[in-house]
Amino acid sequence: MKKVLKSLLVFTLAISMVLSLAGCGGEKKVQLKVYNWGDYIDQSVIGDFEKKYNIDVVYDEFATNEEMYAKIKAGADDYDILVPSDYAIKRMIDEDMLYKLDMSNIPNYKYIDDRFKDLAYDPTNEYSVPYMWGTVGILYNKTMVKEPVDSWKILWDEKYSKQILMLDSLRDSIGITLKMMGYSLNTKDEKELNEAKELLIKQKPLVLAYVGDEVKDKMIGGEAALAVVWSGDAIYMKRENPDLEYVIPKEGSNIWFDAVVIPKSSQHKKEAELFINYLCETEVAFKNADFIGYATPHVEAKKMLPVDLTSDKSAYPEDGDLKNSEVFEDLAGSLPKYDRIWTEVKSK
Ligand code: N2P
């Protein structure tokens, strides 16, 4: 019995020595927390990154800039990587929520087209690296809509009652309503904003649903005739259902830039920069742009894409298609007004 106890003790000691050696010898794997838009990456590149650098990636998704911002501001999670749009980046810079990037760790930044540098949201390119860009427009089903689609006004046509999908995103939905009336989608004017609110309330009975990424299944499945969508998602849906077409209405739209940033909650700035640099590797940038359909700002990756994608003006509009379009600005003090409008519209 004694002998058994003794050998048990020796065995336990041996095991705990092995465990503690493993603990101090092998470095603990870094866990990189990435927070990106839904359906906005080719997941295989995440697995490849984990293998290549022996880093674990925890990957979460958001549906709007507002959702992402609220979560970061609340300090709920220590994310290392975010992919906000222009105006949200500007706000986070102003509120000191982002790290400056050490560009010597991101040499692949050289592949980013100059037209996506020095933009107003990050004029010195110190905080963000462009990921994708695009527009907001109308996706319609040619078998259900027989007339030409060139104006936001069609989304208020009673003929299409309960066949219209709107984006569940306050800047986009209020923004296109303002554009329809010929106003700026960054207006702070009380009267213009009230008009937009009344119009959105009036439109509500015609709206089948306010949606996010579900728009894709619904439009591919022919459940609605018209939807407000982002350009890259339009590409994806057109590939799946050739009856679908995308237009940027003549009144103009929103042109947006989504870029990668490191929030100050990050515990792993070096690895986060490694991840950004990895996203800018030509092969990786190509895979992402090819898979999701959004337009890449990466010069070399764009060259590798199929011509039918890069020549499709839905994804890569020409300057002429964008002449009345604007970039969202951070609304600062006027944001609560927009918030109230959207809450009122949604609760009617
Ligand atoms: C992808 C979301 C696209 C981002 N589902 C629009 N800025």
Side-chain angles (χ1 to χ4, degrees), residues 37-40 85 213 216 230 233 256 258 294:
W37 293 84
D39 299 341
Y40 214 32
S85 307
D213 280 323
K216 296 200 266 286
W230 291 304
D233 289 347
W256 51 261
D258 292 342
Y294 279 89

Side-chain angles (χ1 to χ4, degrees), residues 298-321:
H298 192 293
V299 178
E300 296 304 316
K302 187 178 172 199
K303 286 184 197 156
M304 292 170 68
L305 289 167
V307 185
D308 62 339
L309 176 57
T310 48
S311 63
D312 187 332
K313 294 212 288 177
S314 308
Y316 293 88
E318 285 158 15
D319 289 349
D321 306 315

Side-chain angles (χ1 to χ4, degrees), residues 95-114:
E95 296 181 12
D96 197 23
M97 292 166 71
L98 302 181
Y99 277 126
K100 281 191 180 175
L101 304 175
D102 180 348
M103 285 302 188
S104 66
N105 292 329
I106 312 177
N108 292 334
Y109 184 66
K110 65 172 185 270
Y111 295 126
I112 303 292
D113 193 335
D114 283 343

Side-chain angles (χ1 to χ4, degrees), residues 36-307:
N36 192 4
W37 293 84
D39 299 341
Y40 214 32
I41 201 160
D42 176 342
Q43 285 290 340
S44 75
V45 310
I46 299 283
D48 292 348
F49 174 81
E50 290 180 311
K51 269 189 239 118
K52 185 166 175 185
Y53 294 106
N54 194 33
I55 289 174
D56 274 337
V57 173
V58 177
Y59 191 86
D60 287 337
E61 298 182 336
F62 57 84
T64 62
N65 284 299
E66 288 66 32
E67 180 193 348
M68 178 276 313
Y69 172 86
K71 197 160 170 193
I72 302 305
K73 194 71 179 177
D77 262 294
D78 50 352
Y79 286 111
D80 300 294
I81 291 281
L82 308 174
V83 191
S85 307
D86 35 58
Y87 70 98
I89 293 174
K90 171 78 168 74
R91 180 177 191 189
M92 289 198 272
I93 293 173
D94 290 349
E95 296 181 12
D96 197 23
M97 292 166 71
L98 302 181
Y99 277 126
K100 281 191 180 175
L101 304 175
D102 180 348
M103 285 302 188
S104 66
N105 292 329
I106 312 177
N108 292 334
Y109 184 66
K110 65 172 185 270
Y111 295 126
I112 303 292
D113 193 335
D114 283 343
R115 58 186 269 242
F116 302 100
K117 294 178 181 167
D118 314 328
L119 298 176
Y121 64 90
D122 182 10
T124 48
N125 313 301
E126 285 174 293
Y127 294 92
S128 63
V129 171
Y131 180 64
M132 298 286 162
W133 67 280
T135 55
V136 183
I138 300 176
L139 185 82
Y140 65 100
N141 188 314
K142 290 179 277 186
T143 67
M144 302 179 191
V145 183
K146 297 291 184 194
E147 62 193 302
V149 180
D150 66 351
S151 162
W152 295 113
K153 293 205 172 87
I154 197 164
L155 302 171
W156 273 259
D157 188 335
E158 287 177 9
K159 207 167 43 230
Y160 301 109
S161 178
K162 294 292 176 218
Q163 296 182 62
I164 296 168
L165 295 168
M166 287 289 282
L167 267 177
D168 190 5
S169 163
L170 77 118
R171 284 305 298 266
D172 293 291
S173 289
I174 299 173
I176 63 154
T177 312
L178 291 164
K179 290 307 276 183
M180 175 173 73
M181 294 182 292
Y183 302 145
S184 163
L185 46 67
N186 293 307
T187 188
K188 297 181 173 170
D189 183 285
E190 203 79 48
K191 197 180 95 330
E192 293 178 1
L193 284 169
N194 261 327
E195 273 179 62
K197 180 181 82 182
E198 293 309 325
L199 277 166
L200 284 164
I201 292 172
K202 192 166 155 235
Q203 183 206 30
K204 204 173 169 189
L206 311 182
V207 175
L208 178 64
Y210 297 88
V211 288
D213 280 323
E214 322 88 89
V215 73
K216 296 200 266 286
D217 285 344
K218 290 191 192 299
M219 289 306 285
I220 292 167
E223 287 176 44
L226 296 145
V228 178
V229 303
W230 291 304
S231 46
D233 289 347
I235 292 285
Y236 176 84
M237 290 180 267
K238 288 194 333 175
R239 277 180 188 162
E240 299 291 321
N241 181 346
D243 293 334
L244 300 173
E245 195 47 83
Y246 177 79
V247 286
I248 301 171
K250 60 176 184 249
E251 299 95 343
S253 177
N254 166 236
I255 166 165
W256 51 261
F257 309 94
D258 292 342
V260 195
V261 301
I262 306 180
K264 287 203 165 163
S265 59
S266 172
Q267 307 292 316
H268 306 290
K269 185 166 184 275
K270 272 246 145 52
E271 289 80 2
E273 282 161 352
L274 189 67
F275 185 76
I276 298 177
N277 194 51
Y278 172 79
L279 288 178
C280 294
E281 274 178 25
T282 299
E283 186 66 28
V284 173
F286 159 73
K287 272 193 192 158
N288 284 332
D290 190 41
F291 183 79
I292 64 178
Y294 279 89
T296 178
H298 192 293
V299 178
E300 296 304 316
K302 187 178 172 199
K303 286 184 197 156
M304 292 170 68
L305 289 167
V307 185

